[in-house]
Amino acid sequence: TEGVRPSNEGRGYVLRRIMRRALRHGYKVGAKDMFLSKCLAPLIAEMGDISPELEKQKDVLVQLIDHEEQQFRQTLDQGMKILNTDMEQAKQEKSQQLSGEVVFTLYDTYGFPVDLTADIARENNLTVNMEEYDALMQQQRDRSRAASQFEQTKAMVDDLEGNTKFTGYELEEDEA
């Protein structure tokens, strides 16, 4: 009700992480149906006098929470399949550690949170190779930064071309 929405930045990221941790625990105890927005009614009953906007915005909040839960359930289902396969493979290879590449792929390709991967690995008596993960993340940042610099340079050139008037048909010399 304060205007914070789950997102990948700032306060929205904190909210998303809190919601996803709650969803993960629900998943862990076997919650099969959407459940997080059902916690809203008891919250309103308890806090409604202090925060009447909870009741006023109830429908919007339910929709927002359900959307985030649906989105994360897909991420969680997909990520858990991959993670379970990789954990089983690590155990077969008698390794106590998940590779940083697995963690990076889960995060970068599927949006599966790194801290969640580490929690699940720990629950299965495995560790995560964070050095390898950090190196792969740095490579990704470097690639992103290089692409961003290319786009900035291209935009500057495009801007120059857009503000320069061609006078070659009328003049042999001109200033620009």
Side-chain angles (χ1 to χ4, degrees), residues 13 17 20 72 75-76 103 106-107 110-118:
Y13 183 68
R17 296 276 305 268
R20 288 185 168 191
F72 187 60
T75 298
L76 196 56
V103 180
L106 281 168
Y107 175 74
Y110 302 100
F112 202 82
V114 175
D115 62 322
L116 184 56
T117 303

Side-chain angles (χ1 to χ4, degrees), residues 70 133 171:
Q70 183 64 38
Y133 167 79
L171 304 169

Side-chain angles (χ1 to χ4, degrees), residues 20-43:
R20 288 185 168 191
R21 188 158 289 273
L23 292 167
R24 155 80 167 109
H25 287 289
Y27 184 93
K28 196 173 161 183
V29 297
K32 301 289 184 216
D33 299 322
M34 304 276 281
F35 72 91
L36 197 56
S37 65
K38 293 175 184 167
C39 299
L40 197 55
L43 176 70

Side-chain angles (χ1 to χ4, degrees), residues 104 108 135-145:
F104 176 77
D108 190 54
L136 291 165
M137 274 305 289
Q138 188 57 50
Q139 290 173 10
Q140 174 77 332
R141 284 187 204 102
D142 293 344
R143 284 190 301 270
S144 178
R145 201 172 295 118

Side-chain angles (χ1 to χ4, degrees), residues 103-129:
V103 180
F104 176 77
T105 300
L106 281 168
Y107 175 74
D108 190 54
T109 305
Y110 302 100
F112 202 82
V114 175
D115 62 322
L116 184 56
T117 303
D119 287 348
I120 294 166
R122 196 170 25 276
E123 291 166 5
N124 286 274
N125 300 315
L126 296 169
T127 60
V128 172
N129 186 335

Side-chain angles (χ1 to χ4, degrees), residues 63-77:
Q63 184 179 8
L64 188 136
I65 292 167
D66 284 348
H67 175 75
E68 186 68 20
E69 182 168 357
Q70 183 64 38
Q71 189 176 358
F72 187 60
R73 278 181 173 270
Q74 292 172 350
T75 298
L76 196 56
D77 287 343

Side-chain angles (χ1 to χ4, degrees), residues 80-97:
M80 287 303 296
K81 287 176 189 170
I82 295 165
L83 186 54
N84 285 332
T85 300
D86 289 332
M87 287 189 306
E88 190 59 40
Q89 183 178 346
K91 287 178 182 179
Q92 286 176 359
E93 294 171 357
K94 304 227 187 299
S95 174
Q96 297 292 311
Q97 190 173 62

